[in-house]
Amino acid sequence: NAGVTQTPKFRILKIGQSMTLQCTQDMNHNYMYWYRQDPGMGLKLIYYSVGAGITDKGEVPNGYNVSRSTTEDFPLRLELAAPSQTSVYFCASSYLGPPDTEAFFGQGTRLTVV
Amino acid sequence: AQTVTQSQPEMSVQEAETVTLSCTYDTSESDYYLFWYKQPPSRQMILVIRQEAYKQQNATENRFSVNFQKAAKSFSLKISDSQLGDAAMYFCAYRNYNQGGKLIFGQGTELSVKP
């Protein structure tokens, strides 16, 4: 019963490096989301997907890219990492519609850009 | 655009007492969902309670209950018989069927529980 799995849990990047945050869910959810959480703040939406092959920008998409080739996977790509991308990243998935409206979250990835 | 506002950055409660966390939201939609999530120091996001906007009855989950005022766009969380394990960051969140069903979060309220 894995739910939403994010890897890695921690990562330190140097400025200008690139990396991919992995997210996999085994609940056959059609909706998937990437959020970032800065210290002491709420979660801000980066990108979301309503199904395989369909993605859209959220509130803070600059510096990130996503793809959704399968229902299960929704990787987040950081290109040319910047200190402003230091944050905790959460992946989430869900259905939408009664009675299943709850979003399930991964454990988060703490990313530091130095 | 929908927004969620939590006006209490920090709250404190004595163990066994009751505390209420406030949340207001702005939307022009009539059908939506509201949630309270708990985030302990482990960072895990844990669903505490949810409310469907079409239901007039306030949701209750054990010691947790909400006061949902649809006309006022208010959604407060009441924690009764507070326990040390309730200490965490609490987020109010809004969700509707449009725009990919994305969850919109408030800024959070950090709750501390004093023994």
Side-chain angles (χ1 to χ4, degrees):
Chain A
N1 210 11
V4 180
T5 302
Q6 287 183 238
T7 56
K9 288 186 171 54
F10 303 93
R11 183 72 185 268
I12 298 175
L13 276 183
K14 293 185 178 179
I15 294 172
Q17 287 185 322
S18 299
M19 77 165 293
T20 299
L21 280 66
Q22 301 291 344
C23 176
T24 298
Q25 53 93 7
D26 62 359
M27 297 172 281
N28 202 33
H29 287 161
N30 50 343
Y31 294 88
M32 295 189 74
Y33 310 89
W34 274 106
Y35 289 88
R36 61 175 286 172
Q37 183 181 24
D38 298 329
M41 303 293 287
L43 280 71
K44 294 185 178 180
L45 184 65
I46 305 171
Y47 271 95
Y48 65 98
S49 170
V50 301
I54 306 170
T55 62
D56 206 347
K57 296 178 180 179
E59 188 182 359
V60 289
N62 291 342
Y64 307 94
N65 276 300
V66 294
S67 60
R68 183 96 181 269
S69 57
T70 66
T71 298
E72 295 78 19
D73 300 310
F74 190 41
L76 177 71
R77 178 82 177 161
L78 278 72
E79 304 282 0
L80 299 175
S84 61
Q85 293 178 305
T86 294
S87 191
V88 178
Y89 292 83
F90 288 95
C91 179
S93 74
S94 77
Y95 290 121
L96 181 59
D100 297 312
T101 58
E102 174 186 355
F104 294 82
F105 286 81
Q107 296 277 53
T109 296
R110 182 179 293 278
L111 175 67
T112 303
V113 182
V114 297
Chain B
Q2 295 91 357
T3 59
V4 177
T5 302
Q6 293 178 249
S7 58
Q8 306 156 315
E10 299 175 347
M11 291 285 284
S12 181
V13 64
Q14 205 72 30
E15 193 175 7
E17 297 294 309
T18 296
V19 64
T20 298
L21 308 184
S22 300
C23 173
T24 59
Y25 59 95
D26 188 23
T27 184
S28 58
E29 303 289 336
S30 58
D31 288 330
Y32 50 87
Y33 303 92
L34 296 165
F35 305 87
W36 279 97
Y37 278 89
K38 171 185 178 181
Q39 187 182 45
S42 66
R43 295 200 313 251
Q44 186 179 0
M45 294 291 286
I46 302 166
L47 179 68
V48 175
I49 198 165
R50 66 181 172 196
Q51 174 81 40
E52 291 86 348
Y54 62 85
K55 290 186 177 179
Q56 294 185 337
Q57 186 173 4
N58 289 325
T60 300
E61 289 286 344
N62 300 314
R63 297 183 295 107
F64 299 88
S65 61
V66 298
N67 184 3
F68 173 48
Q69 301 289 329
K70 190 173 184 178
K73 296 179 183 175
S74 171
F75 183 61
S76 61
L77 174 69
K78 185 171 81 172
I79 306 174
S80 304
D81 186 25
S82 296
Q83 301 175 359
L84 296 177
D86 294 334
M89 183 73 85
Y90 286 82
F91 292 101
C92 178
Y94 164 98
R95 188 181 197 197
N96 67 19
Y97 288 95
N98 299 321
Q99 299 178 358
K102 56 189 177 183
L103 274 164
I104 300 169
F105 286 87
Q107 305 91 323
T109 297
E110 185 165 6
L111 177 67
S112 59
V113 180
K114 297 179 180 178

